[in-house]
Amino acid sequence: MPLYWFHCRACGGFDLAFAMADVPAAAPCPDCASSSKRQFGVAALIRPGSAATRLIDATERTASEPSVVAAPPRRPVPVTRNPLHRKLPRP
Ligand SMILES: [Zn+2]
């Protein structure tokens, strides 16, 4: 059964599972039992575990948790192998 999101004004959001034919417009809050309206959000269009999802997760992780480098690489990394790039000015 799919999960549906409801929002209680006092407690915040919570998820409840209903059959698609039995989804109510409001449900009681599990904490305070007040009537909470159903909220509509965006659909999850990305498959978990796919290459796109792994790339997005890795990109977000490097933004918030960049890897720490203790030393420069031992061998210089070749920037380009194109012979025309040899004519470019060097720093
Ligand atoms: Zn509540």
Side-chain angles (χ1 to χ4, degrees):
M1 281 191 286
L3 289 175
Y4 296 93
W5 185 49
F6 294 87
H7 185 77
C8 174
R9 290 184 180 205
C11 306
F14 59 92
D15 294 328
L16 292 176
F18 289 100
M20 292 178 76
D22 300 333
V23 182
C29 174
D31 295 329
C32 67
S34 67
S35 179
S36 306
K37 288 186 178 179
R38 180 179 167 200
Q39 302 294 308
F40 295 91
V42 296
L45 300 177
I46 296 177
R47 291 181 296 154
S50 69
T53 305
R54 288 194 307 267
L55 177 62
I56 292 170
D57 290 345
T59 304
E60 290 177 353
R61 193 171 38 251
T62 57
S64 62
E65 303 167 12
S67 60
V68 177
V69 177
R74 294 185 182 187
R75 283 187 284 163
V77 179
V79 178
T80 177
R81 293 184 189 274
N82 188 336
L84 296 176
H85 292 171
R86 291 185 194 144
K87 296 179 181 177
L88 293 175
R90 301 288 174 197

